[in-house]
Amino acid sequence: MRSSFLADAPAIREPRHAPVAHVMRGGLIEGVHYGSVVVLDDGGGVRLGIGDIEAACYPRSALKPVQAVAMVRAGLPLDGALLSLAMGSHSGEEHHLAGVRLILELAGLTEADLRNVPDLPYGPAVRDAWVREGRGPSRLAQNCSGKHAAMLYLCKLSGWPLESYLDADHPLQRTIAEAVEDLTGQRVANVTVDGCGAPLFAVSLHGLARAAARIATAAPDTAEHRVAGALRLHPEMASGAGRDSAALMRAVPGLLTKDGFEGVHLAALPDGRAVAVKISDGADRARVAVTAAALARAGVEPRLLAGFTGEPVTGGGRAVGGIRPVAALDPPGPPATATA
């Protein structure tokens, strides 16, 4: 399902990032995080753009809801928690592993059929326990295993080859590429390989925000609506206990959000307001704070976002500063009162 009109692919260039957050220590700016931020209003217009929102970038795992839409459109029958897991970057908790096993079982397959890269669990506490038990890297534990299991399930149902499901010219990956272009409204700029081994499509930050808005506002009985509902109802299946994406969805009613490696984050509200963030140095400490500030700039009540300011800057074992998003991300103030 491809839009009748697609904008040209975003330019491949050195991104013209701008300051998006200051690292504060003792009241002074100690460091600066550069990046790009786009905030869309409920009509799809750009309310705020910082940096280079039109350059090609890799969304990394923030693209997973789009990949999930593509698979549901093509006939993937998952719903609820298992569909959320299919778009997840899970922590490797036992319920995540059980969910991946169940998807593989539904497909009549096993962990041996997965082609993602073996890894330790992503969640620090889970990973530490895993290592203490003497367990090594596995494809099941790797954080993208839910997506890969869902890809295999769809291939099995569609009669597509299993061994080559990660090839860019495989019917599955062509189907995903079409959905990426449809939902972002632009042609893909480049295709490479993501960390897990799956094809990764370069789009603009602006296009990524458009895709998030389309998924968040989709009508019932659409693949987009199923994906949004699964992620909103089961946010921990797409991440894990204590992870910021799940916490954001619990804190802000109706929010749909997904993070990705290298400082990428997208979020969208049911009325179509959306944000997309790229931190140029990939730092999570800036990603969380800047994403929350962008949501406040989009009109989310700041009190709902109070817990998402990033890790404090410490000195001598106590907090002496923190991450402060740039002033352009300050929430809009109340309208001025007219005077005579």
Side-chain angles (χ1 to χ4, degrees), residues 84-173:
S84 183
L85 180 61
M87 67 187 97
S89 303
H90 66 72
S91 291
E93 297 161 34
E94 188 50 48
H95 61 281
H96 296 132
L97 307 188
V100 177
R101 292 190 191 98
L102 179 54
I103 296 172
L104 290 169
E105 182 182 329
L106 290 169
L109 301 171
T110 70
E111 181 180 353
D113 294 292
L114 293 169
R115 292 291 177 266
N116 56 319
V117 177
D119 202 355
L120 296 172
Y122 180 70
V126 183
R127 182 172 60 248
D128 290 347
W130 188 278
V131 172
R132 284 197 301 271
E133 294 166 6
R135 304 165 77 178
S138 79
R139 298 186 193 277
L140 190 69
Q142 196 268 338
N143 75 89
C144 300
S145 61
K147 178 182 75 175
H148 283 255
M151 286 178 169
L152 282 168
Y153 188 14
L154 179 57
C155 288
K156 189 70 175 292
L157 292 172
S158 303
W160 295 335
L162 301 182
E163 289 282 338
S164 58
Y165 77 95
L166 296 182
D167 291 352
D169 61 354
H170 189 281
L172 168 68
Q173 303 303 338

Side-chain angles (χ1 to χ4, degrees), residues 289-305:
V290 171
T291 298
L295 285 169
R297 189 68 173 76
V300 174
E301 293 184 40
R303 65 178 179 82
L304 299 177
L305 302 165

